[in-house]
């Protein structure tokens, strides 16, 4: 880590229809000493997400229509590169820290993710979150699918394979391109980097976000997640077993 690490990290926040939470997330992220760039990628929001994020101090870029999380992450990384192209004195590119738009005030506590990357002891860190304040209504089918798929593909068993709070070097991000589309992005990134020999580390971080509920919209969301993870696995030659919940018939 450099003696002064105030410009070693850029924070990228993919966001869609998060006007009620994005301001708190941006302000909290801006408190992180190691970061000097906070970019919000407005992924086709139909509300005031972009305006609220800009008012909170973020640099906002966006998509005219919803293109999915992976596309938003790639757009955010390109925005960081564009900023760095105007910094002739910069010797090395910033690490990238991706966080969810709904972390609100807890976003200020992401430092444990950053330190191993800046110290050179990990190429990718993934946040392990504590039990959330408002437990969700899912049965863990998507998590189980991703976890068992990553294990089959790489031999490594993650605790929270779908965690979107991730910090990685620019070299690792480049190696993961193109990102798996949609909701398969985390699963695909983990597999691709481990297969290439990059060091992946899970790190506990006291972060809290909105948890998906139990209504029909939530179930539809989980169905899209499941399809995205399955696509990421199958395109990487992984044939995951049926999740434990389904094997038990529960």
């Amino acid at each position: 880590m450099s003696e002064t690490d105030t410009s070693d990290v850029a924070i990228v926040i993919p966001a869609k229809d998060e006007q009620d939470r994005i301001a708190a997330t941006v302000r909290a992220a801006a408190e992180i000493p190691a970061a000097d760039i906070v970019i919000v990628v407005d992924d086709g929001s139909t509300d005031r997400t972009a305006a609220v994020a800009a008012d909170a101090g973020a640099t906002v870029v966006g998509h005219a229509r919803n293109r999915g999380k992976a596309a938003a992450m790639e757009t955010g990384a390109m925005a960081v590169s564009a900023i760095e192209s105007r910094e002739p004195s910069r010797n090395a590119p910033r690490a990238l820290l991706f966080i969810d738009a709904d972390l609100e005030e807890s976003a200020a506590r992401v430092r444990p993710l950053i330190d191993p990357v800046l110290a050179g002891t990990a190429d990718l860190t993934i946040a392990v979150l504590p039990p959330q304040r408002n437990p969700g209504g899912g049965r863990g089918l998507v998590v189980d699918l991703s976890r068992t798929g990553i294990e089959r593909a790489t031999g490594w068993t993650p605790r929270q394979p779908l965690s979107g709070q991730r910090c990685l070097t620019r070299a690792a991000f480049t190696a993961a391109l193109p990102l798996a589309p949609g909701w398969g992005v985390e699963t695909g990134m983990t597999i691709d980097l481990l297969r290439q020999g990059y060091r992946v580390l899970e790190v506990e971080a006291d972060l809290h976000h909105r948890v998906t509920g139990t209504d029909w919209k939530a179930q539809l969301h989980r169905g899209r997640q499941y399809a995205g993870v399955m696509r990421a696995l199958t395109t990487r030659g992984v044939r995951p077993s049926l999740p434990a919940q389904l094997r038990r018939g529960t």
Side-chain angles (χ1 to χ4, degrees):
M1 191 184 303
S2 62
E3 292 183 2
T4 57
D5 59 358
T6 56
S7 59
D8 292 333
V9 178
I11 299 175
V12 177
I13 310 174
K16 183 179 186 300
D17 297 334
E18 290 287 357
Q19 67 177 17
D20 295 336
R21 300 173 178 83
I22 191 64
T25 302
V26 167
R27 294 189 184 107
E31 297 176 6
I32 300 166
D36 65 340
I37 295 175
V38 179
I39 291 178
V40 169
V41 184
D42 179 31
D43 189 28
S45 294
T46 58
D47 63 5
R48 299 185 65 253
T49 293
V52 173
D55 288 344
T59 298
V60 179
V61 296
H63 302 152
R65 61 177 178 83
N66 179 245
R67 293 174 53 194
K69 187 174 184 180
M73 292 170 67
E74 292 182 2
T75 294
M78 287 189 290
V80 175
S81 294
I83 292 172
E84 291 176 340
S85 70
R86 301 191 292 270
E87 299 175 328
S89 62
R90 170 159 289 277
N91 296 320
R94 292 169 176 83
L96 298 175
L97 173 63
F98 294 97
I99 63 173
D100 291 343
D102 60 357
L103 290 181
E104 298 183 281
E105 291 80 4
S106 74
R109 300 193 291 272
V110 298
R111 184 71 199 227
L113 289 173
I114 297 172
D115 290 340
V117 175
L118 296 188
T121 58
D123 303 300
L124 165 66
T125 55
I126 304 171
V128 175
L129 277 60
Q132 297 296 284
R133 299 186 182 105
N134 298 306
R139 298 190 300 172
L141 294 177
V142 185
V143 172
D144 194 23
L145 175 68
S146 179
R147 179 182 293 121
T148 58
I150 291 171
E151 184 178 29
R152 285 195 171 197
T154 68
W156 181 63
T157 306
R159 293 165 61 187
Q160 293 188 8
L162 299 181
S163 176
Q165 328 315 314
R166 295 175 173 230
C167 187
L168 70 168
T169 65
R170 292 290 273 286
F173 183 79
T174 300
L177 295 175
L179 300 179
W183 297 109
V185 60
E186 290 90 3
T187 303
M189 174 188 287
T190 302
I191 291 173
D192 291 344
L193 291 183
L194 284 171
R195 281 178 166 176
Q196 294 178 69
Y198 286 90
R199 298 162 299 170
V200 178
L201 176 68
E202 286 189 310
V203 180
E204 293 186 1
D206 186 20
L207 307 174
H208 293 266
H209 62 87
R210 183 180 68 254
V211 178
T212 306
T214 58
D215 60 13
W216 69 269
K217 289 184 179 180
Q219 299 303 331
L220 183 61
H221 170 72
R222 292 191 186 92
R224 289 194 292 262
Q225 278 188 307
Y226 194 95
V229 171
M230 181 63 77
R231 178 180 178 184
L233 293 174
T234 56
T235 56
R236 286 160 177 76
V238 182
R239 294 185 178 181
S241 61
L242 195 66
Q245 294 94 325
L246 296 182
R247 293 198 301 270
R248 290 194 301 264
T250 58

